[in-house]
Structures are given as C-alpha cells and as structure tokens.
C-alpha cells in the first residue's frame, strides 16, 4: 500500500483523495481549513452556486469511490431534481436547445433567433475543445500562445464573446457578457468561457431538495465528507502530516510565473480570479412563497450581474446573493479565464519537492475554476499518481481496468 499526501482543502483535493483511497492507497489530506465542511472559515457551499451544473461529474466521482450519488443522497433524505430556468432581467431561457431558440424568437424576432442559434453552435464547438484541454485529458506542458487550440481566439483574432455581446440585443447580449463576470471577471479574451453556455444547455440545471425544501450544495459535500471518513482518509493540518509519503499531490494555487507566454508587460492580464460578494439572509415565509422551487434572478448594477437565489425551507425563505458588481480577489482560484492567462496556467507536471515526487493539480490549471472542472482535476491527478505508483492506467479510456483499479474479469488471463 502506497501513502499519498494531498495538500489543500478544495474540491480537487477532496476528489483526488476519494479516488485514490478507492484504488487502495493510504491517503492523508493536509489542510488547515477543509472547505467542504460548513464550519470552514471559507465554506464551499457559500462560494458555489446552489444550482448544480454537469451532475455527471459528481455522479462519476461517487460511482468511482463507492455507490451511486442518488443512493447516498436518498439515505440522507435528499433528492436531485431539475431546477427551473434563470430569469435574466425578465428574459427566461430554457435549457433545452429548441425551447431556448423558440423563447428568443418570441422575445425578439426570427433574425435574432438565427443569430442565437449560431451562438449556441459556437458554444458547443468551444465546449468540445475545452473538454480535450484540461478536463478529460491533462495538459502536461505549459502551452505557448502558438499552441493554443485554434478554437480559442488568440492575439489578433476577434474576441467572439465581446463581439457577440455587443451585437445581440438587450438581455441576450447581457447573458453573454455575464459569463465573463461570473467566471472570474475577465474583460478581454474571455471567449473560451462561451463554452459554459453549452454546459447548462447540454447537461441541464439541477438542485438539491430535502424534507424542508430546496437547499444549497452542502448536503452533497456532507455525503462526500462522510465517504472520506468511511474510506479511512485522514484530514489533518499540514504540519501534522506523517513523514515519508510516496507521492504528494499539491492542489494549492501556484504563484504566477514571470516566464512563459506571459511577460512582465502583460502581467496585468494575469489578474486573479474575481469572486462575487456573497450574502445570505432569511425572512418568514408566506403563502405566496412556493415550496420545492429554487428561483434565480439576474439583475445588473453598473453592467455587472447580481445573481439572487430564493428558496423556501419550512417556515423561512433563504435568499443568497452573489454580487459581481462588488468583486473580491480570490487567488485560490487562480487567474481569470482569458485566453492568454489560460495559456499561462500551470500544467499538471511532476516535480521533486523535499525528495518526494509531487504533482501539481489545482483550480488554477487548464481545466478552469468551475466546480465541475475542479472535481475533474482531481480525477486527472488520480490517474497520473496511480500510474506513477503502480504502472497501471485506470483512465476511463482503458477498458481493461475497472473502477477499483483491478483488471475486469472478462479480460483476465487464464
């Protein structure tokens, strides 16, 4: 049995620790603040939006580390159900493609609907490109700007996101402009974030509901934290980690590099991720407050989105606001997601630190800072570490190997 230390208290550390323990390794998480706990000084359930995107990523994490997600949630009295569409300054865009185009046609006209169809097509193309660069496959060398995928606009090319936002009318243009603010505050070169428009449309919007009504993502984090304990993963302060691990995974954000494609003259474009100011309040519920519904309203202050969620829990209504017009720096999420800063993000590479092979894999990697991207970074780190320690490739493309890292029976040699 090999010993692996995972440094960090974010989703990547949580996902990597669960997966590696399932593969038979002894895993210790070193963090002074496990953010998946509600008692954290910076709890994830406040940072993460209460609407779940790309639930298949969470389902895969659960399936590969024990039983399926719905079974664990059901045992905790929680269900995963589809969430209603957000309301953007009065405009409702359903997640399903045909319904979304019809809604645009009804709110504007046929010409705008055709233009929006082109936006969705471009978003789908960008999503497929992002999948191959840091989500389903690790980026193991720092790319130069010349290596940036052709689907990602580079210097001298049009910034499609900004251009489309200006060309589209009213709320539609604002929906695109909001992608930059809600994904770190990029103002220039943020076209690759157009891919996030495809995520909700392809995979839907989901919410958690328990006996008291809708809730945020904390019940799901509780399920994963309980699984850590069942799998024997110790969570200790970094200074209390035992000595002599075989491998370390460092999920903490690396400081910006002065080299690579991002020179000092462009250092201003390496600005840290900008997170919203988060507030939560409650009020007594009335008969007009619907049960089992998590509503989302997007308004704007100074052209920047203010996202408000309301949900009823028993006799009270919870209101959570992510105010992007009052941004705060969030260096733990790396830089914003402009194309140039994407190229400058650290690759998932090995180094020897204090004599121990150490793999860097965090939210500042090429997968991006979205919650599902951070979970996927944990999976990619797991594949690399397990192969390093055992020589076995457990990536999903290796059909000979099962979820627990053992050969599937039908492939075993007599």
């Amino acid at each position: 049995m090999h010993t692996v230390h995972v440094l960090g208290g974010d989703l990547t550390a949580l996902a990597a620790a669960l997966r590696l323990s399932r593969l038979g390794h002894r895993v210790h998480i070193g963090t002074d603040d496990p953010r998946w706990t509600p008692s954290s000084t910076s709890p994830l359930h406040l940072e993460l939006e209460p609407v779940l995107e790309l639930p298949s990523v969470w389902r895969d994490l659960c399936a590969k580390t024990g039983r399926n997600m719905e079974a664990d949630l059901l045992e905790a009295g929680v269900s995963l159900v589809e969430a209603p569409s957000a309301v953007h300054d009065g405009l409702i865009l359903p997640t399903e493609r045909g319904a979304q185009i019809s809604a645009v046609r009804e709110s504007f006209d046929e010409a705008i609907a055709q233009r929006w169809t082109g936006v969705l097509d471009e978003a789908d193309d960008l999503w497929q490109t992002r999948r191959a660069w840091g989500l389903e496959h690790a980026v193991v060398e720092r790319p130069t700007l010349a290596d940036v995928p052709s689907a990602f606009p580079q210097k001298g090319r049009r910034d499609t996101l900004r251009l489309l936002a200006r060309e589209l009318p009213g709320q539609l243009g604002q929906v695109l402009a909001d992608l930059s603010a809600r994904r770190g505050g990029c103002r220039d070169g943020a076209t690759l974030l157009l891919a996030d428009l495809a995520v909700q449309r392809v995979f839907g919007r989901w919410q958690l509901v328990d006996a008291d009504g809708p809730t945020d993502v904390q019940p799901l984090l509780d399920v994963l934290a309980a699984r850590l304990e069942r799998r024997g993963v110790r969570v200790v302060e970094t200074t209390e980690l035992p000595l002599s691990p075989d491998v370390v995974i460092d999920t903490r954000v690396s400081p910006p590099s002065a080299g690579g494609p991002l020179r000092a003259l462009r250092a201003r474009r390496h600005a840290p991720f900008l997170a919203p100011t988060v507030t939560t309040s409650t009020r007594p519920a009335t008969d007009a407050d619907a049960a089992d519904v998590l509503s989302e309203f997007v308004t704007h202050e100074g052209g920047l989105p203010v996202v408000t969620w309301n949900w009823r829990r028993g006799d009270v209504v919870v209101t959570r606001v992510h105010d992007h017009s009052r941004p705060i720096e969030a260096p733990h999420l790396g830089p914003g997601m402009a194309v140039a800063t994407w190229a400058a993000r650290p690759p998932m590479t090995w180094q020897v630190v204090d004599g121990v092979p150490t793999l860097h894999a965090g939210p500042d990697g090429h997968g991006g800072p979205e919650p599902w991207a951070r979970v996927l970074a944990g999976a990619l780190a797991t594949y690399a570490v397990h192969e390093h320690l055992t020589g076995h490739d457990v990536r999903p493309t290796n059909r000979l190997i099962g979820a627990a890292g053992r050969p599937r029976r039908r492939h075993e040699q007599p």
Side-chain angles (χ1 to χ4, degrees):
M1 179 182 290
H2 298 93
T3 299
V4 181
H5 288 177
V6 182
L7 306 181
D10 198 80
L11 292 173
T12 303
L14 175 64
L18 282 172
R19 287 176 176 269
L20 285 165
S21 65
R22 178 71 173 89
L23 290 169
H25 302 287
R26 182 186 296 109
V27 182
H28 304 279
I29 298 178
T31 177
D32 299 334
D33 188 21
R35 300 185 62 219
W36 50 83
T37 64
S39 60
S40 164
T41 59
S42 180
L44 279 167
H45 77 99
L46 296 181
E47 175 187 298
L48 305 183
E49 297 186 353
V51 173
L52 273 177
E53 298 178 345
L54 236 169
S56 59
V57 168
W58 300 90
R59 287 192 177 102
D60 184 67
L61 173 60
C62 290
K64 298 294 175 58
T65 59
R67 60 178 179 172
N68 69 69
M69 181 175 75
E70 277 78 1
D72 265 0
L73 288 175
L74 184 62
E75 187 174 278
V78 182
S79 300
L80 181 69
V81 301
E82 195 166 358
S85 301
V87 181
H88 300 266
D89 287 327
L91 174 67
I92 299 177
L93 289 178
T95 54
E96 194 273 325
R97 179 185 176 96
Q100 190 172 122
I101 294 171
S102 295
V104 173
R105 184 180 295 111
E106 292 174 6
S107 299
F108 301 97
D109 56 35
E110 180 62 32
I112 299 301
Q114 290 297 323
R115 191 176 300 176
W116 188 251
T117 301
V119 170
L120 297 182
D121 290 341
E122 189 150 4
D124 289 346
D125 290 342
L126 277 167
W127 167 242
Q128 295 302 324
T129 302
R130 276 197 67 185
R131 286 176 60 181
W133 284 75
L135 293 176
E136 295 180 358
H137 306 279
V139 177
V140 297
E141 295 181 1
R142 186 186 295 275
T144 66
L145 290 181
D147 297 325
V148 172
S150 59
F152 293 174
Q154 302 172 32
K155 183 178 179 181
R157 297 183 184 175
R158 63 191 182 125
D159 185 341
T160 309
L161 185 61
R162 173 180 286 189
L163 181 62
L164 289 174
R166 289 175 176 174
E167 290 180 345
L168 288 165
Q171 304 103 311
L172 272 184
Q174 197 65 61
V175 167
L176 296 187
D178 288 353
L179 290 174
S180 296
R182 295 178 72 169
R183 294 294 189 263
C186 293
R187 297 298 181 91
D188 301 307
T191 299
L192 60 90
L193 290 174
L194 188 61
D196 284 14
L197 191 66
V199 171
Q200 285 197 9
R201 189 186 59 73
V202 174
F203 300 99
R205 295 163 45 87
W206 301 86
Q207 67 182 56
L208 298 174
V209 179
D210 63 16
D212 292 325
T215 181
D216 58 21
V217 299
Q218 187 58 51
L220 176 56
L221 298 176
D222 290 340
V223 162
L224 296 174
R227 189 170 291 193
L228 279 179
E229 186 173 352
R230 288 198 303 271
R231 301 216 63 83
V233 176
R234 291 184 58 207
V235 182
V236 299
E237 293 188 7
T238 307
T239 56
E240 297 179 0
L241 284 169
L243 299 176
S244 303
D246 296 295
V247 164
V248 170
I249 301 176
D250 193 346
T251 71
R252 299 168 300 183
V253 170
S254 300
S257 170
L262 214 65
R263 306 300 181 186
L265 291 177
R266 287 179 282 171
R268 61 183 178 84
R269 297 169 68 183
H270 204 281
F273 192 98
L274 295 180
T277 295
V278 179
T279 58
T280 302
S281 61
T282 60
R283 62 171 174 81
T286 68
D287 293 340
D289 295 309
D292 300 332
V293 174
L294 187 153
S295 62
E296 178 179 332
F297 297 92
V298 184
T299 56
H300 294 86
E301 291 287 342
L304 294 171
V306 179
V307 189
T308 302
W309 294 274
N310 297 295
W311 62 90
R312 179 171 179 170
R313 293 195 51 79
D315 295 330
V316 301
V317 172
V318 180
T319 297
R320 181 160 300 156
V321 179
H322 283 196
D323 188 348
H324 294 272
S325 71
R326 295 190 293 152
I328 56 176
E329 291 190 358
H332 67 281
L333 294 177
M337 283 287 282
V339 174
T341 54
W342 178 88
R345 284 171 168 256
M348 193 174 288
T349 53
W350 290 95
Q351 294 179 315
V352 177
V353 179
D354 296 331
V356 180
T358 300
L359 182 72
H360 177 78
D364 57 340
H366 291 88
E370 296 93 342
W372 38 263
R374 287 141 72 180
V375 173
L376 287 172
L380 295 178
T382 296
Y383 306 149
V385 166
H386 187 71
E387 186 172 22
H388 175 85
L389 292 172
T390 68
H392 295 155
D393 180 4
V394 294
R395 292 171 179 83
T397 51
N398 188 351
R399 303 301 182 186
L400 302 180
I401 302 296
R406 297 184 292 271
R408 297 184 188 275
R409 288 185 179 180
R410 63 178 178 275
H411 295 294
E412 289 177 347
Q413 299 297 320

